Amino acid sequence: MAAAAATTGNGSTSVGLLVLMVVALAAAWFASAVRPPPPTPCGTPGGPPVTAPRVRTRDGRFLAYAESGASRDGARFKVVYSHGFSGGRMDSPRASQALLKELGVYMVAFDRAGYGESDPDPRRSLRSAALDIEDLADALELGDRFHLICSSLGCHAAWASFKYIPHRLAGVAMMAPVINYRWSGLPRGLVRQLYRQQPLGDRWSLRIAYYAPWLLHWWMSQPWLPTSTVISGSGSFPNALDEKNRIMALSTGMFQKRARAATQQGVQESFYRDMAVMFGRWPEFEPTDLGKEAPPFPVHLFQGDEDGVVPVQLQRHICSRLGWITYHELAGVGHFLSAVPGLGDRIISTLLPGPAVNSSTAPAGGVKL
């Protein structure tokens, strides 16, 4: 009887060890499978070449940039532009060069960390986004204060700048800033309603970015899982101009070309870190935490009422909560504001004092909440 019990005990122990070994092997396999590939920084062996001028940040990374408008030395206004998701240093509000020179505007756009030819930042955060802008401005000697224009997802750098470098800002314009559905200052019932209207793949992508950002690279690479329609370009837009441009970009290959340029150092270092920062946890602050006291510089926010990426209802709520944002709601306009004829000139003319832009070339509409 004792011998039988011992045999049973040994058998149970062996089965238990076998189960533990299988679990350990499965965990090791999964950890290896979800680990993103290492980045391929520009200028390193096997990495893409460096073709753009670059400046060095305080932590030793390099940021690539492109200049436009008036010469830097003689400009009245110095403007930094922060591009949106899948963009790069060649993006801009698309203001006319004639207007930039007339007003004396020097504009510098840059590849945000990990994009294009700017070095990846494994410690990317809201704070680092603001400090990168400050480092770029200091390296180019833009002075004590400069203007900032941000677009879409790149607007997280504007919110961060309000928090971390407000003393460096002379004025800010935000173009359709992307919203994190989990910001606590948003009305929960409305958020749930609007969140459920998003495509299934986008909802799952946002969940992963918030709860398990380390899983993004693996998740997005699985064809059998619901993934982001924004990354694939498969999501349609309610605005006619947005949809026309989406179809044209896909059919001509421009969408794929831009994505390759943006992610040439690794999609993890560009797209997925972007998602993790924007749609992950904001532990230090949220936009509605910034308070109702107006900063000592103008802030303008431009939002289309047919935006298929950012719900206009939530943008209205944020602007009404803060109070110091001059809110411009554009009737019949979608998400990609830089594609709207004349709107780039309107944004520049609104942010910077100077002669008014011809109203016949810019979309009508403007509401101050």
Side-chain angles (χ1 to χ4, degrees), residues 139-156:
L140 296 177
E141 299 180 343
L142 302 190
D144 293 337
R145 291 178 179 269
F146 52 87
H147 288 79
L148 178 62
I149 299 178
C150 301
S151 177
S152 190
L153 193 145
C155 289
H156 75 272

Side-chain angles (χ1 to χ4, degrees), residues 280-350:
R281 301 174 190 275
W282 285 47
E284 298 170 59
F285 78 101
E286 293 180 2
T288 52
D289 295 334
L290 294 172
K292 293 189 176 182
E293 183 177 350
F297 49 82
V299 179
H300 297 271
L301 192 152
F302 296 82
Q303 172 72 35
D305 69 348
E306 294 183 358
D307 193 319
V309 177
V310 181
V312 65
Q313 301 94 321
L314 298 181
Q315 207 74 273
R316 291 170 184 161
H317 177 82
I318 290 173
C319 291
S320 64
R321 279 281 300 268
L322 293 176
W324 40 266
I325 294 178
T326 302
Y327 177 60
H328 306 263
E329 188 167 301
L330 309 171
V333 173
H335 182 71
F336 302 105
L337 304 188
S338 62
V340 179
L343 185 54
D345 281 6
R346 176 176 170 177
I347 290 171
I348 291 293
S349 298
T350 301

Side-chain angles (χ1 to χ4, degrees), residues 16 30 82 87 126 144 159 163 230 299 302 311:
F30 185 70
S82 173
L126 291 165
D144 293 337
W159 295 121
K163 174 70 173 178
V230 176
V299 179
F302 296 82

Side-chain angles (χ1 to χ4, degrees), residues 1 14-15 17 27 85 116 143 149 206 210 233 252 266 268 296 328 357 360 362:
M1 190 107 171
S14 299
V15 171
L17 287 173
F85 190 73
I149 299 178
L206 296 179
Y210 187 80
T252 61
Q268 171 68 20
H328 306 263
V357 67
S360 65

Side-chain angles (χ1 to χ4, degrees), residues 113-174:
Y115 273 85
E117 296 183 22
S118 287
D119 286 345
D121 182 2
R123 296 180 297 277
R124 242 173 93 180
S125 65
L126 291 165
R127 186 172 185 273
S128 74
L131 297 184
D132 279 358
I133 288 173
E134 184 175 44
D135 287 349
L136 176 72
D138 287 344
L140 296 177
E141 299 180 343
L142 302 190
D144 293 337
R145 291 178 179 269
F146 52 87
H147 288 79
L148 178 62
I149 299 178
C150 301
S151 177
S152 190
L153 193 145
C155 289
H156 75 272
W159 295 121
S161 295
F162 294 145
K163 174 70 173 178
Y164 298 111
I165 58 167
H167 57 289
R168 302 301 307 274
L169 302 176
V172 177
M174 292 186 281

Side-chain angles (χ1 to χ4, degrees), residues 269-291:
E269 304 305 323
S270 47
F271 287 3
Y272 301 154
R273 287 200 189 279
D274 242 9
M275 293 175 65
V277 172
M278 180 66 232
F279 301 115
R281 301 174 190 275
W282 285 47
E284 298 170 59
F285 78 101
E286 293 180 2
T288 52
D289 295 334
L290 294 172

